[in-house]
């Protein structure tokens, strides 16, 4: 059994079938034997069959948690990880074979605490897919050059896990939509690199109805997070300016 994983890949799922495609990509990683896959799921029995086949992966950890509170489940996964670096993945983001190897090389070659991978559109089938991709990940497009950047996406970003674990119980709040985590990391002096060579393909919503629902719900989440920190005088100002 592996004792010292190099990278923890953390993902939340409802059942094993949901991550079967992701697990297949992780099994094909060039350093799969150095990976620790941390799966957060509401029921251990729902994922064991899929994960039992992932013999190429160095270690698999299953964390039992309710996943309705996504940020809390993600925080539990991070605190359960044992590698020095971790990637916060999604069920619908698929790493290229040298993805993990490239992330580790980037961490070791510079003063980086956070790495944003180069993200491509995995389903470029219509304008709705492209719109979702550009709204969420245009800043980290795999077609852009490598550089130091201000922040990585909270999900689909790689982190020095000691920084995240140091936040303790506050990590849950920081993982919610908003800029709390990037701001806290910058306050610690953490530096972020965008590395397009670490390639990740992200599947985007391509149905018009679902696209609208996602945008509305995402807007509500961001708004509720911001309102919790804004002064009362700032709220009417933003409300009046919102038509712009």
């Amino acid at each position: 059994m592996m004792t010292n994983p190099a990278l923890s890949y953390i993902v939340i799922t409802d059942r094993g079938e949901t991550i079967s495609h992701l697990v297949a990509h992780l099994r094909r990683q060039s350093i799969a034997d150095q990976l620790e896959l941390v799966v957060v799921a509401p029921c251990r029995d729902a994922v064991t069959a899929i994960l039992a086949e992932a013999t190429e992966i160095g270690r698999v950890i299953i964390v039992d948690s309710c996943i309705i509170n996504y940020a809390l489940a993600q925080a539990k996964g991070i605190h359960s990880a044992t590698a020095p670096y971790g990637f916060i993945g999604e069920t619908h983001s698929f790493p290229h074979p040298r993805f993990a190897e490239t992330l580790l090389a980037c961490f070791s070659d510079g003063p980086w605490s956070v790495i944003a991978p180069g993200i491509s559109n995995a389903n470029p089938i219509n304008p709705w897919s492209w719109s979702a991709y550009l709204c969420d990940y245009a800043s980290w497009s795999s077609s852009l050059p490598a550089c130091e950047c201000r922040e990585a996406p909270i999900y689909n970003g790689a982190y020095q896990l000691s920084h995240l674990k140091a936040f303790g119980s506050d990590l849950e709040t920081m993982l919610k939509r908003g800029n709390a985590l990037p701001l806290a990391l910058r306050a610690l002096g953490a530096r972020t690199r965008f590395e397009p060579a670490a390639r990740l393909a992200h599947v985007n919503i391509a149905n018009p109805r679902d696209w609208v629902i996602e945008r509305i719900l995402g807007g509500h989440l961001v708004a509720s997070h911001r309102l919790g920190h804004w002064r009362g005088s700032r709220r009417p100002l933003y409300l009046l300016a919102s038509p712009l």
Side-chain angles (χ1 to χ4, degrees):
M1 179 181 292
M2 179 180 60
T3 57
N4 297 304
L7 178 74
S8 297
Y9 199 106
I10 304 156
V11 65
I12 296 174
T13 188
D14 57 342
R15 54 198 177 99
E17 290 77 5
T18 305
I19 57 169
S20 60
H21 196 34
L22 170 61
V23 171
H25 278 75
L26 294 176
R27 293 172 67 182
R28 292 194 292 268
Q29 289 294 299
S30 60
I31 57 167
D33 60 335
Q34 299 179 46
L35 293 182
E36 174 183 78
L37 174 59
V38 181
V39 178
V40 185
C43 177
R44 177 178 294 268
D45 293 340
V47 296
T48 50
I50 291 295
L51 298 177
E53 302 174 3
T55 55
E56 298 88 347
I57 299 174
R59 176 189 293 164
V60 175
I61 295 176
I62 302 174
V63 180
D64 294 305
S65 175
C66 173
I67 62 173
I68 295 176
N69 184 338
Y70 197 86
L72 177 60
Q74 198 66 271
K76 288 183 177 180
I78 290 168
H79 284 298
S80 300
T82 65
Y85 306 106
F87 183 79
I88 302 178
E90 293 183 299
T91 59
H92 50 281
S93 295
F94 306 113
H96 287 242
R98 298 180 71 88
F99 175 78
E101 179 184 353
T102 304
L103 285 180
L104 289 176
C106 193
F107 275 121
S108 63
D109 288 345
W112 315 114
S113 299
V114 184
I115 297 174
I119 301 174
S120 62
N121 186 355
N123 59 328
I125 56 176
N126 60 28
W128 300 103
S129 169
W130 276 111
S131 175
Y133 167 73
L134 293 173
C135 284
D136 295 334
Y137 294 109
S139 297
W140 304 284
S141 169
S142 56
S143 63
L144 298 174
C147 64
E148 183 168 1
C149 59
R150 287 180 55 81
E151 61 189 46
I154 292 179
Y155 307 127
N156 297 311
Y159 299 86
Q160 186 174 327
L161 287 180
S162 60
H163 287 332
L164 300 188
K165 292 181 179 183
F167 295 127
S169 59
D170 292 335
L171 181 61
E172 175 193 348
T173 301
M174 294 179 179
L175 287 168
K176 295 177 180 177
R177 287 182 180 266
N179 59 354
L181 182 61
L183 288 175
L185 288 170
R186 287 203 296 271
L188 292 175
R191 296 175 64 181
T192 301
R193 177 175 174 83
F194 167 64
E195 182 48 71
R199 298 169 60 200
L200 187 78
H202 183 273
V203 176
N204 303 281
I205 288 179
N207 177 281
R209 179 178 178 275
D210 293 336
W211 186 96
V212 172
I213 292 173
E214 183 195 41
R215 294 298 118 185
I216 292 174
L217 293 178
H220 278 293
L221 287 172
V222 173
S224 63
H225 173 78
R226 290 178 176 173
L227 286 175
H229 299 84
W230 282 358
R231 300 185 306 274
S233 59
R234 191 175 182 183
R235 299 181 187 185
L237 175 63
Y238 270 73
L239 176 63
L240 294 173
S242 62
L244 298 176

